[in-house]
Amino acid sequence: MSERPGSAPPPEATPVEIAADPFPLTESTGEEKEERAPRSRTKTIVLSSLLAVSLAGASVLGYVGWRIASQKDATLTVPAKVAGLTVDSTDEGRSTADYLQTALSADVALDRAVGAVYTDGSANDVLFFGGTTLFWTPEDDLVTAFDLVSDEQGSVTGLHDVPAGPLGGTMKCGTTKADGADMPVCGWADHGSLALAMFPGRTVDDSAKLFSEIRAAAQTRN
């Protein structure tokens, strides 16, 4: 293109240099930024532990509440016949049954008490007595009931757990002395009932089995 006369030549274009690094969007302070402190793991662990404990506690309380609700409305009766045994309806049999349930009621607060002497025609009568109410701590109350037998018949020794069966709760058996011989004693307790039985002339294993049969026939739940 020809230059017009009297005009100055255009200035030479200066090249613009582009930096290799991206330019900052904010103004730099010239100081290095401090690294962000890592999140506290201790706090996270503590919070997680508290949550786990709370959930576990809620589960335990829920289970205990369900167990109490399912066991508390119990009824005890005295079946006329059970496991080959028959209720002794003589005056002596009734008197012994009344004494046993009265003695139990004196040590354990009951809404209703029952008692019976069962016989199979031999001299080895079974003495059964118990009652119903709401038991918050069934195992402790069962220990109290065994103490009653200890007071009247001598100490109960060798107490151990035996299968409680489908009705649940706790069931224990041991032995006490009667006329110089060992006599098995068994008891059960749940949140709605408690009962004991004494089994002269029998072994502990046979007594535990017979006691389970008596319970199955005597105890119902509403």
Side-chain angles (χ1 to χ4, degrees), residues 104-120:
L104 179 63
S105 298
D107 275 31
V108 180
L110 299 170
D111 294 333
R112 181 174 181 270
V114 298
V117 175
Y118 282 100
T119 181
D120 60 0

Side-chain angles (χ1 to χ4, degrees), residues 18-135:
I18 298 177
D21 298 329
F23 58 86
L25 295 177
T26 58
E27 189 176 352
S28 174
T29 60
E31 298 178 358
E32 292 185 2
K33 294 181 180 179
E34 295 182 0
E35 293 185 1
R36 181 178 296 179
R39 185 176 180 181
S40 171
R41 293 188 64 225
T42 302
K43 183 178 180 181
T44 302
I45 292 172
V46 170
L47 291 176
S48 299
S49 299
L50 289 175
L51 178 61
V53 169
S54 298
L55 292 175
S59 298
V60 170
L61 288 175
Y63 172 71
V64 171
W66 169 83
R67 188 173 62 185
I68 292 173
S70 65
Q71 294 181 358
K72 67 182 182 66
D73 296 320
T75 300
L76 277 187
T77 59
V78 176
K81 294 182 178 182
V82 57
L85 302 172
T86 305
V87 170
D88 182 355
S89 57
T90 64
D91 289 343
E92 184 179 357
R94 287 197 297 266
S95 175
T96 301
D98 289 343
Y99 169 76
L100 291 172
Q101 66 188 55
T102 299
L104 179 63
S105 298
D107 275 31
V108 180
L110 299 170
D111 294 333
R112 181 174 181 270
V114 298
V117 175
Y118 282 100
T119 181
D120 60 0
S122 69
N124 299 325
D125 294 341
V126 175
L127 285 65
F128 170 73
F129 52 108
T132 56
T133 191
L134 174 58
F135 294 101

Side-chain angles (χ1 to χ4, degrees), residues 95-183:
S95 175
T96 301
D98 289 343
Y99 169 76
L100 291 172
Q101 66 188 55
T102 299
L104 179 63
S105 298
D107 275 31
V108 180
L110 299 170
D111 294 333
R112 181 174 181 270
V114 298
V117 175
Y118 282 100
T119 181
D120 60 0
S122 69
N124 299 325
D125 294 341
V126 175
L127 285 65
F128 170 73
F129 52 108
T132 56
T133 191
L134 174 58
F135 294 101
W136 293 106
T137 54
E139 190 159 1
D140 293 340
D141 291 307
L142 182 57
V143 170
T144 299
F146 276 118
D147 287 342
L148 169 66
V149 176
S150 298
D151 291 341
E152 299 298 328
Q153 302 289 336
S155 62
V156 177
T157 60
L159 267 180
H160 60 280
D161 291 327
V162 296
L167 288 168
T170 182
M171 188 181 291
K172 297 177 182 291
C173 290
T175 58
T176 188
K177 291 292 184 181
D179 298 327
D182 287 340
M183 179 175 66

